[in-house]
Amino acid sequence: MTTAEIRQRPVGELLRQWREHRRLSQLELSNQAEVSTRHLSFLETGRSAPSRDMVLHLADRLDVPLRERNTLLVAAGYAPVYTRTSLESPEMTQVRHAVRQILTGHDPYPAVVVDRYWNLLDANASASFLTTGAAEHLVGPGTNVLRLALHPDGMAPNIVNLGEWRAHLLSQLRRQVEAVADPELAQLYRELSAYPCADEEPDIELMPGPNNLIVPLRIRRCDVELSFFSTIATFGTPLDVTVAELVIESFFPADEVTRAFMTSL
């Protein structure tokens, strides 16, 4: 189902879809939201029209992302309440400064900022080191970092543990699709899953090895095998769609060889 088709659906149907997506019964949601099961049933079937506050109340209990909360409001006949401010706007100056401070402070190790769809918004100087040799059509404007990582013309040929890293990225994306129910993310997942990979893709999250603490990115650069692990940072109290969807991924050396190599650069 496309995003446009979702927006055209009645708000009750969308609320029911989110409830089912969260695997909640009407009774469970009504208890969490402190509304009667009868009233919730009427809202879902369209026999009653929810107030704006009720839409936001149920969306909060269902942990609906801010972008989709606006969609619910529009479907119910109300104006969106969550702004979607351009990252380049004056209102975002302090946000940009905070992001830039994290990026520059993380050198000489790579760090990137992406949006909800994993499109690159910013990066520090060291990030370009990982993408050396990737095809131009993958690293131009609108670069998608997941596509860049797994595409056979991107980083994939240089990733030593491609099967393991690919399984990790696809698992991460699958969980995101399940959380936000976004058709565009689902399409990205299908695209990336179709990329060829000759390596075995172990389900390391279900069956980790005896000495595995974290899934590393092992990549060949300058005839040296480097190993990284990453952390994810988001804003803690977002009230804007753009801010809520910003993700900062920072890569750290997983061994002393990588630490020494990156520091020498």
Side-chain angles (χ1 to χ4, degrees), residues 4-159:
E5 288 171 335
I6 290 175
R7 290 171 179 167
Q8 293 173 359
R9 299 173 67 186
V11 64
E13 189 175 340
L14 293 177
L15 286 171
R16 177 180 57 78
Q17 180 184 12
W18 274 107
R19 176 179 60 76
E20 293 174 347
H21 192 70
R22 296 294 184 235
R23 296 178 174 84
L24 294 173
S25 67
Q26 284 188 343
L27 178 59
E28 289 170 327
L29 178 57
S30 64
N31 287 336
Q32 291 183 19
E34 298 182 339
V35 300
S36 70
T37 306
R38 175 185 174 88
H39 184 48
L40 179 59
S41 177
F42 278 20
L43 293 178
E44 290 187 354
T45 59
R47 295 180 65 181
S48 294
S51 66
R52 186 183 73 162
D53 289 346
M54 179 57 71
V55 172
L56 293 173
H57 179 63
L58 292 174
D60 178 68
R61 293 302 182 271
L62 289 167
D63 196 24
V64 177
L66 300 191
R67 179 189 293 254
E68 280 69 30
R69 295 187 193 192
N70 279 342
T71 299
L72 289 172
L73 287 167
V74 171
Y78 303 108
V81 299
Y82 300 101
T83 57
R84 189 178 173 184
T85 311
S86 168
L87 191 58
E88 303 305 318
S89 68
E91 294 86 349
M92 297 285 267
T93 298
Q94 297 307 318
V95 171
R96 291 197 306 274
H97 285 174
V99 170
R100 176 44 52 180
Q101 182 175 351
I102 294 173
L103 293 180
T104 56
H106 196 63
D107 274 322
Y109 310 125
V112 299
V113 182
V114 297
D115 63 15
R116 180 187 207 175
Y117 301 103
W118 296 89
N119 296 316
L120 184 66
L121 301 177
D122 201 356
N124 65 2
S126 301
S128 61
F129 177 78
L130 292 178
T131 63
T132 301
E136 291 185 6
H137 69 91
L138 294 172
V139 296
T143 294
N144 184 280
V145 297
L146 296 185
R147 184 178 291 117
L148 174 63
L150 299 182
H151 196 284
D153 294 332
M155 295 169 55
N158 293 313
I159 297 178

Side-chain angles (χ1 to χ4, degrees), residues 172-202:
Q172 183 179 15
L173 181 56
R174 185 182 66 251
R175 288 195 297 269
Q176 185 184 2
V177 171
E178 293 172 351
V180 304
D182 189 309
E184 294 181 42
L185 281 172
Q187 176 57 40
L188 178 62
Y189 177 82
R190 289 190 291 270
E191 176 193 335
L192 301 183
S193 298
Y195 288 168
C197 179
D199 296 356
E200 180 184 359
E201 298 181 36

